[in-house]
Amino acid sequence: MVDFMTDEALETLLRNWDGEEVITRFDTATGAWIIIAIHSTRLGPAGGGTRMKVYPGLAAAMADAMQLAQSMSYKFAIIGFPQGGSKSVIALPGVLEPAARAALLHRYGALVHQLGGLVVTGPDVGTGPAEMDIVAETGSPYVFGRSVGSGGSGDSGTPTALGVFQGIQVACTHLFGNPSPAGKRVLIQGLGSVGAPLARYLTVAGAEVLGSDVAEDAVRRLQAELQLAVVPTETVLDTPCDIFAPCALGGVVNQHTIPRLRCRIVAGSANNQLRDPADASLLHERGILYAPDFIINVGGAVSLVGVEAMGWSPEEVERRIVEGITSALHLVFERSAAEGIPTTVAAKMLADERLAREETQS
Ligand code: PPY
């Protein structure tokens, strides 16, 4: 990641990106940067969540938004949604007082509104239904994921977990000849809004679930509910398991950590789990099957857009998540095996083909 920005670094960042545009606004009142990276509107309005956190600098924040927006385009293309890809980043200068934070979210909402439907947004790391309620006060109707009480579909962690659970079963089919995770040891990194429901799905399916989280209360709460073995955060990457599920922040799978991994499958919900595209080759060479994040974490997006824009029932949302992920992942695993290429490369080829097909049809 880039931590400083010279003219050259900024130019390189923007030139090397294959997206459409990056909207950047400095919020004078708080000192925050608002960045909306619009990767593609080829299939429809660009959709993607709003990530709000402290970054080392503007370049790191922009780079994150741009990479995440690209993943959103792939996500929607692969699942066959008439939606483009974007991501918003609100790079905070530090912890803000509640009133200042709310005012910032209002100004962000006004910016989204001003774009007139070019982008739709929702929750991401650092934001949830409560923040979307505030953004929607000025950004509506382009804000998904408000709280249920305010007319939104609420937390999308459980539908995201359902998709990851499905992805794990497809990976098990591919590697072990049987979809069932029963008896398999699954290590979940991050027991938050996706990791916790994923642990529940896996426990019911008979898997041996191991979990880890920097927040000790999250671990304790889940431990009281499930038979969960707790792994200290420092040893997660060295712990033997069948399936490693990164469900916290991105970048955990990289040239330094891949040699340490002692798993057969990597399948989790975190966006951009690989730090660098070349990390996919390192996993492939080690014989570790990687279920691309932008395929198996699509459940949240399908739920948000499906419920709030398409009016789908919960059953329809679940069916679309399960069927969409299953068919896409089988195609990707088969192509990866047949052509000897990393699964992410096969997945990007599939996304590009679907994007190109839509382009010729329109
Ligand atoms: C994600 O899946 O990473 C998202 O950002 C979900 C999403 C999709 C569409 C609008 C808002 C958020």
Side-chain angles (χ1 to χ4, degrees), residues 47-50 72 75-76 83 86-87 120-124 144 271 297-298 300-302 304-305:
T50 302
M72 291 307 299
K75 214 178 268 201
F76 288 123
Q83 187 100 40
S86 66
K87 205 79 163 192
V120 294
T121 195
D124 198 87
F144 297 143
N271 275 313
N297 72 11
V298 77
V302 171
L304 287 174
V305 181

PDB file of all heavy atoms in Angstrom, residues 47-50 72 75-76 83 86-87 120-124 144 271 297-298 300-302 304-305, ligand 1:
ATOM      1  N   GLY A  47     -22.641   0.205  -7.737  1.00  0.00           N
ATOM      2  CA  GLY A  47     -23.012  -0.050  -6.343  1.00  0.00           C
ATOM      3  C   GLY A  47     -21.821  -0.485  -5.523  1.00  0.00           C
ATOM      4  O   GLY A  47     -20.935  -1.197  -6.004  1.00  0.00           O
ATOM      5  N   GLY A  48     -21.794  -0.051  -4.289  1.00  0.00           N
ATOM      6  CA  GLY A  48     -20.742  -0.487  -3.369  1.00  0.00           C
ATOM      7  C   GLY A  48     -20.869   0.237  -2.045  1.00  0.00           C
ATOM      8  O   GLY A  48     -21.373   1.362  -1.985  1.00  0.00           O
ATOM      9  N   GLY A  49     -20.415  -0.405  -1.017  1.00  0.00           N
ATOM     10  CA  GLY A  49     -20.574   0.117   0.334  1.00  0.00           C
ATOM     11  C   GLY A  49     -19.694   1.324   0.641  1.00  0.00           C
ATOM     12  O   GLY A  49     -18.885   1.762  -0.180  1.00  0.00           O
ATOM     13  N   THR A  50     -19.867   1.841   1.846  1.00  0.00           N
ATOM     14  CA  THR A  50     -19.122   3.003   2.329  1.00  0.00           C
ATOM     15  C   THR A  50     -18.223   2.567   3.476  1.00  0.00           C
ATOM     16  O   THR A  50     -18.704   2.146   4.537  1.00  0.00           O
ATOM     17  CB  THR A  50     -20.103   4.086   2.829  1.00  0.00           C
ATOM     18  OG1 THR A  50     -20.974   4.437   1.759  1.00  0.00           O
ATOM     19  CG2 THR A  50     -19.345   5.320   3.310  1.00  0.00           C
ATOM     20  N   MET A  72     -16.162  -4.870  -6.792  1.00  0.00           N
ATOM     21  CA  MET A  72     -17.631  -4.767  -6.876  1.00  0.00           C
ATOM     22  C   MET A  72     -18.109  -5.005  -8.310  1.00  0.00           C
ATOM     23  O   MET A  72     -19.116  -5.674  -8.525  1.00  0.00           O
ATOM     24  CB  MET A  72     -18.117  -3.402  -6.377  1.00  0.00           C
ATOM     25  CG  MET A  72     -17.964  -3.142  -4.892  1.00  0.00           C
ATOM     26  SD  MET A  72     -18.673  -4.393  -3.794  1.00  0.00           S
ATOM     27  CE  MET A  72     -20.389  -4.347  -4.242  1.00  0.00           C
ATOM     28  N   LYS A  75     -17.913  -8.648  -8.916  1.00  0.00           N
ATOM     29  CA  LYS A  75     -18.940  -9.312  -8.112  1.00  0.00           C
ATOM     30  C   LYS A  75     -20.278  -9.315  -8.845  1.00  0.00           C
ATOM     31  O   LYS A  75     -20.918 -10.336  -9.014  1.00  0.00           O
ATOM     32  CB  LYS A  75     -19.074  -8.486  -6.822  1.00  0.00           C
ATOM     33  CG  LYS A  75     -19.378  -9.256  -5.593  1.00  0.00           C
ATOM     34  CD  LYS A  75     -19.428  -8.320  -4.391  1.00  0.00           C
ATOM     35  CE  LYS A  75     -18.099  -8.189  -3.690  1.00  0.00           C
ATOM     36  NZ  LYS A  75     -18.222  -7.723  -2.307  1.00  0.00           N
ATOM     37  N   PHE A  76     -20.698  -8.130  -9.297  1.00  0.00           N
ATOM     38  CA  PHE A  76     -22.014  -8.018  -9.944  1.00  0.00           C
ATOM     39  C   PHE A  76     -22.012  -8.695 -11.312  1.00  0.00           C
ATOM     40  O   PHE A  76     -23.009  -9.292 -11.714  1.00  0.00           O
ATOM     41  CB  PHE A  76     -22.425  -6.546 -10.063  1.00  0.00           C
ATOM     42  CG  PHE A  76     -22.811  -5.931  -8.744  1.00  0.00           C
ATOM     43  CD1 PHE A  76     -22.167  -4.802  -8.262  1.00  0.00           C
ATOM     44  CD2 PHE A  76     -23.820  -6.499  -7.967  1.00  0.00           C
ATOM     45  CE1 PHE A  76     -22.539  -4.238  -7.042  1.00  0.00           C
ATOM     46  CE2 PHE A  76     -24.187  -5.937  -6.744  1.00  0.00           C
ATOM     47  CZ  PHE A  76     -23.544  -4.803  -6.286  1.00  0.00           C
ATOM     48  N   GLN A  83     -25.789  -4.194 -12.460  1.00  0.00           N
ATOM     49  CA  GLN A  83     -25.223  -3.206 -11.543  1.00  0.00           C
ATOM     50  C   GLN A  83     -23.733  -3.069 -11.811  1.00  0.00           C
ATOM     51  O   GLN A  83     -23.051  -4.069 -12.041  1.00  0.00           O
ATOM     52  CB  GLN A  83     -25.462  -3.749 -10.124  1.00  0.00           C
ATOM     53  CG  GLN A  83     -25.107  -2.848  -9.003  1.00  0.00           C
ATOM     54  CD  GLN A  83     -26.331  -2.152  -8.418  1.00  0.00           C
ATOM     55  OE1 GLN A  83     -27.382  -2.739  -8.278  1.00  0.00           O
ATOM     56  NE2 GLN A  83     -26.164  -0.908  -8.092  1.00  0.00           N
ATOM     57  N   SER A  86     -18.712   0.243  -7.563  1.00  0.00           N
ATOM     58  CA  SER A  86     -18.102   1.442  -6.965  1.00  0.00           C
ATOM     59  C   SER A  86     -17.763   1.128  -5.512  1.00  0.00           C
ATOM     60  O   SER A  86     -18.135   0.081  -4.999  1.00  0.00           O
ATOM     61  CB  SER A  86     -19.067   2.630  -7.016  1.00  0.00           C
ATOM     62  OG  SER A  86     -20.189   2.381  -6.198  1.00  0.00           O
ATOM     63  N   LYS A  87     -17.039   1.985  -4.885  1.00  0.00           N
ATOM     64  CA  LYS A  87     -16.856   1.899  -3.428  1.00  0.00           C
ATOM     65  C   LYS A  87     -16.565   3.302  -2.929  1.00  0.00           C
ATOM     66  O   LYS A  87     -15.853   4.075  -3.578  1.00  0.00           O
ATOM     67  CB  LYS A  87     -15.672   0.972  -3.079  1.00  0.00           C
ATOM     68  CG  LYS A  87     -15.770   0.360  -1.705  1.00  0.00           C
ATOM     69  CD  LYS A  87     -16.737  -0.822  -1.694  1.00  0.00           C
ATOM     70  CE  LYS A  87     -16.608  -1.719  -0.508  1.00  0.00           C
ATOM     71  NZ  LYS A  87     -17.347  -2.982  -0.677  1.00  0.00           N
ATOM     72  N   VAL A 120     -25.010   3.890  -6.072  1.00  0.00           N
ATOM     73  CA  VAL A 120     -25.827   3.566  -4.897  1.00  0.00           C
ATOM     74  C   VAL A 120     -24.868   3.003  -3.861  1.00  0.00           C
ATOM     75  O   VAL A 120     -23.849   2.402  -4.207  1.00  0.00           O
ATOM     76  CB  VAL A 120     -26.953   2.557  -5.202  1.00  0.00           C
ATOM     77  CG1 VAL A 120     -27.965   3.165  -6.141  1.00  0.00           C
ATOM     78  CG2 VAL A 120     -26.405   1.257  -5.764  1.00  0.00           C
ATOM     79  N   THR A 121     -25.172   3.230  -2.601  1.00  0.00           N
ATOM     80  CA  THR A 121     -24.223   2.788  -1.585  1.00  0.00           C
ATOM     81  C   THR A 121     -24.923   2.039  -0.458  1.00  0.00           C
ATOM     82  O   THR A 121     -26.139   1.846  -0.470  1.00  0.00           O
ATOM     83  CB  THR A 121     -23.381   3.979  -1.079  1.00  0.00           C
ATOM     84  OG1 THR A 121     -22.256   3.471  -0.360  1.00  0.00           O
ATOM     85  CG2 THR A 121     -24.199   4.919  -0.198  1.00  0.00           C
ATOM     86  N   GLY A 122     -24.135   1.598   0.497  1.00  0.00           N
ATOM     87  CA  GLY A 122     -24.647   0.815   1.616  1.00  0.00           C
ATOM     88  C   GLY A 122     -23.528   0.674   2.639  1.00  0.00           C
ATOM     89  O   GLY A 122     -22.521   1.375   2.568  1.00  0.00           O
ATOM     90  N   PRO A 123     -23.681  -0.243   3.593  1.00  0.00           N
ATOM     91  CA  PRO A 123     -22.669  -0.375   4.640  1.00  0.00           C
ATOM     92  C   PRO A 123     -21.408  -1.109   4.189  1.00  0.00           C
ATOM     93  O   PRO A 123     -21.434  -1.864   3.223  1.00  0.00           O
ATOM     94  CB  PRO A 123     -23.388  -1.201   5.725  1.00  0.00           C
ATOM     95  CG  PRO A 123     -24.756  -1.479   5.219  1.00  0.00           C
ATOM     96  CD  PRO A 123     -24.815  -1.144   3.786  1.00  0.00           C
ATOM     97  N   ASP A 124     -20.335  -0.877   4.874  1.00  0.00           N
ATOM     98  CA  ASP A 124     -19.065  -1.587   4.657  1.00  0.00           C
ATOM     99  C   ASP A 124     -18.323  -1.523   5.999  1.00  0.00           C
ATOM    100  O   ASP A 124     -18.926  -1.154   7.025  1.00  0.00           O
ATOM    101  CB  ASP A 124     -18.273  -0.923   3.523  1.00  0.00           C
ATOM    102  CG  ASP A 124     -17.180  -1.833   2.958  1.00  0.00           C
ATOM    103  OD1 ASP A 124     -17.488  -2.617   2.061  1.00  0.00           O
ATOM    104  OD2 ASP A 124     -16.028  -1.765   3.422  1.00  0.00           O
ATOM    105  N   PHE A 144     -28.744   1.955   0.446  1.00  0.00           N
ATOM    106  CA  PHE A 144     -29.289   0.667   0.880  1.00  0.00           C
ATOM    107  C   PHE A 144     -28.739   0.338   2.269  1.00  0.00           C
ATOM    108  O   PHE A 144     -27.753   0.906   2.707  1.00  0.00           O
ATOM    109  CB  PHE A 144     -28.870  -0.450  -0.080  1.00  0.00           C
ATOM    110  CG  PHE A 144     -29.388  -0.295  -1.485  1.00  0.00           C
ATOM    111  CD1 PHE A 144     -28.609  -0.656  -2.564  1.00  0.00           C
ATOM    112  CD2 PHE A 144     -30.660   0.206  -1.722  1.00  0.00           C
ATOM    113  CE1 PHE A 144     -29.079  -0.526  -3.869  1.00  0.00           C
ATOM    114  CE2 PHE A 144     -31.141   0.339  -3.019  1.00  0.00           C
ATOM    115  CZ  PHE A 144     -30.348  -0.024  -4.097  1.00  0.00           C
ATOM    116  N   ASN A 271     -13.216  -8.561   1.944  1.00  0.00           N
ATOM    117  CA  ASN A 271     -12.938  -8.058   0.604  1.00  0.00           C
ATOM    118  C   ASN A 271     -11.431  -7.924   0.436  1.00  0.00           C
ATOM    119  O   ASN A 271     -10.732  -7.527   1.360  1.00  0.00           O
ATOM    120  CB  ASN A 271     -13.587  -6.694   0.406  1.00  0.00           C
ATOM    121  CG  ASN A 271     -15.043  -6.793  -0.039  1.00  0.00           C
ATOM    122  OD1 ASN A 271     -15.374  -7.558  -0.942  1.00  0.00           O
ATOM    123  ND2 ASN A 271     -15.904  -6.034   0.609  1.00  0.00           N
ATOM    124  N   ASN A 297     -18.396 -13.626  -1.342  1.00  0.00           N
ATOM    125  CA  ASN A 297     -18.954 -12.650  -0.392  1.00  0.00           C
ATOM    126  C   ASN A 297     -20.050 -11.788  -1.010  1.00  0.00           C
ATOM    127  O   ASN A 297     -20.419 -10.753  -0.467  1.00  0.00           O
ATOM    128  CB  ASN A 297     -17.855 -11.806   0.254  1.00  0.00           C
ATOM    129  CG  ASN A 297     -17.225 -10.799  -0.704  1.00  0.00           C
ATOM    130  OD1 ASN A 297     -17.716 -10.559  -1.797  1.00  0.00           O
ATOM    131  ND2 ASN A 297     -16.134 -10.191  -0.262  1.00  0.00           N
ATOM    132  N   VAL A 298     -20.603 -12.276  -2.124  1.00  0.00           N
ATOM    133  CA  VAL A 298     -21.610 -11.465  -2.838  1.00  0.00           C
ATOM    134  C   VAL A 298     -22.979 -11.466  -2.131  1.00  0.00           C
ATOM    135  O   VAL A 298     -23.857 -10.680  -2.476  1.00  0.00           O
ATOM    136  CB  VAL A 298     -21.737 -11.969  -4.302  1.00  0.00           C
ATOM    137  CG1 VAL A 298     -22.550 -13.243  -4.379  1.00  0.00           C
ATOM    138  CG2 VAL A 298     -22.313 -10.904  -5.209  1.00  0.00           C
ATOM    139  N   GLY A 300     -24.108 -10.339   0.650  1.00  0.00           N
ATOM    140  CA  GLY A 300     -24.545  -9.071   1.238  1.00  0.00           C
ATOM    141  C   GLY A 300     -25.111  -8.148   0.172  1.00  0.00           C
ATOM    142  O   GLY A 300     -26.190  -7.562   0.340  1.00  0.00           O
ATOM    143  N   ALA A 301     -24.401  -8.064  -0.946  1.00  0.00           N
ATOM    144  CA  ALA A 301     -24.848  -7.199  -2.043  1.00  0.00           C
ATOM    145  C   ALA A 301     -26.163  -7.720  -2.628  1.00  0.00           C
ATOM    146  O   ALA A 301     -27.081  -6.938  -2.901  1.00  0.00           O
ATOM    147  CB  ALA A 301     -23.768  -7.131  -3.123  1.00  0.00           C
ATOM    148  N   VAL A 302     -26.255  -9.036  -2.805  1.00  0.00           N
ATOM    149  CA  VAL A 302     -27.486  -9.620  -3.366  1.00  0.00           C
ATOM    150  C   VAL A 302     -28.667  -9.326  -2.440  1.00  0.00           C
ATOM    151  O   VAL A 302     -29.763  -8.971  -2.881  1.00  0.00           O
ATOM    152  CB  VAL A 302     -27.331 -11.153  -3.569  1.00  0.00           C
ATOM    153  CG1 VAL A 302     -28.658 -11.798  -3.944  1.00  0.00           C
ATOM    154  CG2 VAL A 302     -26.278 -11.443  -4.633  1.00  0.00           C
ATOM    155  N   LEU A 304     -28.935  -6.812  -0.114  1.00  0.00           N
ATOM    156  CA  LEU A 304     -29.253  -5.375  -0.087  1.00  0.00           C
ATOM    157  C   LEU A 304     -30.018  -4.951  -1.333  1.00  0.00           C
ATOM    158  O   LEU A 304     -31.088  -4.346  -1.256  1.00  0.00           O
ATOM    159  CB  LEU A 304     -27.965  -4.543  -0.012  1.00  0.00           C
ATOM    160  CG  LEU A 304     -27.186  -4.518   1.288  1.00  0.00           C
ATOM    161  CD1 LEU A 304     -25.889  -3.757   1.098  1.00  0.00           C
ATOM    162  CD2 LEU A 304     -28.010  -3.863   2.384  1.00  0.00           C
ATOM    163  N   VAL A 305     -29.452  -5.273  -2.488  1.00  0.00           N
ATOM    164  CA  VAL A 305     -30.055  -4.832  -3.748  1.00  0.00           C
ATOM    165  C   VAL A 305     -31.336  -5.624  -4.019  1.00  0.00           C
ATOM    166  O   VAL A 305     -32.352  -5.063  -4.441  1.00  0.00           O
ATOM    167  CB  VAL A 305     -29.051  -4.981  -4.918  1.00  0.00           C
ATOM    168  CG1 VAL A 305     -29.656  -4.495  -6.219  1.00  0.00           C
ATOM    169  CG2 VAL A 305     -27.765  -4.199  -4.625  1.00  0.00           C
TER     170      VAL A 305
HETATM  171  C1  PPY B   1     -19.993  -5.400  -0.844  1.00  0.00           C
HETATM  172  O1  PPY B   1     -20.523  -6.466  -1.181  1.00  0.00           O
HETATM  173  O2  PPY B   1     -18.770  -5.332  -0.590  1.00  0.00           O
HETATM  174  C2  PPY B   1     -20.805  -4.171  -0.811  1.00  0.00           C
HETATM  175  O3  PPY B   1     -20.242  -3.117  -0.797  1.00  0.00           O
HETATM  176  C3  PPY B   1     -22.299  -4.322  -0.783  1.00  0.00           C
HETATM  177  C4  PPY B   1     -23.093  -3.269  -1.466  1.00  0.00           C
HETATM  178  C5  PPY B   1     -23.646  -3.488  -2.700  1.00  0.00           C
HETATM  179  C6  PPY B   1     -24.408  -2.532  -3.331  1.00  0.00           C
HETATM  180  C7  PPY B   1     -24.644  -1.340  -2.722  1.00  0.00           C
HETATM  181  C8  PPY B   1     -24.092  -1.124  -1.485  1.00  0.00           C
HETATM  182  C9  PPY B   1     -23.321  -2.077  -0.849  1.00  0.00           C
END
